[in-house]
Amino acid sequence: MITYKTPEDFKKMEAAGKVVSNIHYEIYDKTKAGMTLIDLDDIAKNIIEKSNVKASFLGYHDYPAHICASPNDVIVHGIPNDYIVNEGDIISIDVGVIFEGYHADAAFSFGVGEITEEEKNLLLKTKHALHEGIKLVKDGQKLGTIGHKIDKIAKKNNFGNVRNYVGHGIGQEMHEEPQVPHYGKKNQGFELKTGMAICIEPMFNLGTEENFIDEDGWTIRTLDGKKSAHWEHTIGITEEGTRVFTENLF
Ligand code: MF3
Ligand code: CO
């Protein structure tokens, strides 16, 4: 089902988005080599508990944590565990929260200490692809046009562009219709309308786009073991135009 948001609903999503941005910033600021992924989850937990919001992920299909923490070859849905963060790691952090019944969901990736030029480019281009996609979000736009743009950026840089996980509508549920693929054909696919909110979340890999689910049933890893980046924002098409509710400093 496609849901339409009122200006009041969008205000709640904006408030949820601010908390998500705060969590991103705190994790980015505090993460140091030697910490575990559970330490990062604790940072999110503390902010959520003092911010009058609830965690979107915790308990979702029995998901056991507040964030997804996805190091290196983990593309998405990494469960925070006792993995110790190392210099040279690329870590993707994905967080969602609910404020007065409305979700916001966003992800970003960062390097711990020194990373290679190739890895820096992976981070930069994944983020760039998300922002180029966001620029196209408006009433009447077709999702195929947005997906095509994102895929073109991946292809130009020779990155694997993950196809079997996609973005989504968002609102009172974290995952609503429509599905938002990061590939497509111009002027085809689902047509966006004012009142809709979506998450666009490209996942680019240094190697193959192919991936598999780890033994824990959640963690998605690249098939060739090469590194991956993930960037996501929650975006609303309001009466006043397109708004990114999870805007951050990165
Ligand atoms: N944020 C993810 C997404 O964009 C969902 C995480 S799955 C969960 O779809 F189980 F961790 F919640
Ligand atoms: Co999402």
Side-chain angles (χ1 to χ4, degrees):
M1 193 180 68
I2 304 294
T3 64
Y4 290 85
K5 284 83 190 173
T6 66
E8 290 70 39
D9 301 338
F10 278 137
K11 283 209 181 80
K12 293 171 186 173
M13 297 184 73
E14 188 180 359
K18 289 221 165 80
V19 178
V20 169
S21 298
N22 287 342
I23 296 168
H24 280 190
Y25 184 74
E26 286 296 314
I27 292 178
Y28 173 75
D29 193 46
K30 296 213 167 91
T31 301
K32 299 277 176 315
M35 290 168 74
T36 69
L37 299 180
I38 292 170
D39 293 333
L40 310 193
D41 195 71
D42 285 340
I43 294 172
K45 179 175 188 264
N46 286 332
I47 297 172
I48 287 168
E49 282 172 356
K50 62 176 195 222
S51 301
N52 195 29
V53 297
K54 282 187 287 201
S56 303
F57 298 2
L58 188 68
Y60 178 82
H61 295 283
D62 295 328
Y63 188 78
H66 304 76
I67 67 172
C68 298
S70 304
N72 300 324
D73 64 316
V74 180
I75 300 173
V76 283
H77 300 171
I79 297 178
N81 56 18
D82 58 6
Y83 174 85
I84 296 171
V85 175
N86 279 302
E87 293 275 335
D89 282 353
I90 285 180
I91 300 186
S92 303
I93 299 292
D94 192 345
V95 191
V97 307
I98 315 167
F99 176 75
E100 293 183 359
Y102 282 83
H103 293 257
D105 173 16
F108 76 106
S109 303
F110 64 104
V112 181
E114 279 298 303
I115 58 171
T116 67
E117 289 305 314
E118 188 191 30
E119 290 163 351
K120 282 182 200 163
N121 191 44
L122 175 74
L123 298 185
L124 204 69
K125 295 296 159 47
T126 311
K127 175 180 167 181
H128 175 65
L130 170 58
H131 286 280
E132 288 298 302
I134 290 171
K135 279 190 203 163
L136 295 168
V137 174
K138 61 176 183 186
D139 182 88
Q141 183 66 278
K142 299 274 182 67
L143 287 182
T145 302
I146 295 173
H148 178 264
K149 178 76 188 179
I150 291 169
D151 194 36
K152 214 168 91 178
I153 295 168
K155 285 206 173 88
K156 198 170 138 193
N157 289 280
N158 249 322
F159 294 140
N161 177 18
V162 174
R163 299 167 80 88
N164 57 333
Y165 296 91
V166 296
H168 50 93
I170 183 166
Q172 286 180 286
E173 303 290 336
M174 175 167 61
H175 291 151
E176 298 186 356
E177 286 183 61
Q179 293 201 356
V180 180
H182 307 105
Y183 54 89
K185 294 205 175 86
K186 276 188 191 170
N187 299 316
Q188 292 195 17
F190 181 87
E191 185 174 324
L192 294 172
K193 290 284 170 210
T194 299
M196 291 180 185
I198 57 168
C199 289
I200 304 178
E201 50 179 316
M203 291 146 269
F204 288 178
N205 303 341
L206 282 181
T208 181
E209 71 189 60
E210 288 183 80
N211 53 76
F212 67 98
I213 307 180
D214 211 339
E215 283 152 13
D216 64 17
W218 281 101
T219 305
I220 315 293
R221 293 181 188 272
T222 58
L223 197 60
D224 59 11
K226 292 193 179 172
K227 290 181 184 177
S228 180
H230 177 213
W231 241 279
E232 173 179 24
H233 275 308
T234 295
I235 306 137
I237 308 174
T238 78
E239 299 285 350
E240 282 88 43
T242 299
R243 295 286 179 269
V244 179
F245 298 129
T246 45
E247 205 56 88
N248 56 32
L249 299 169
F250 319 109

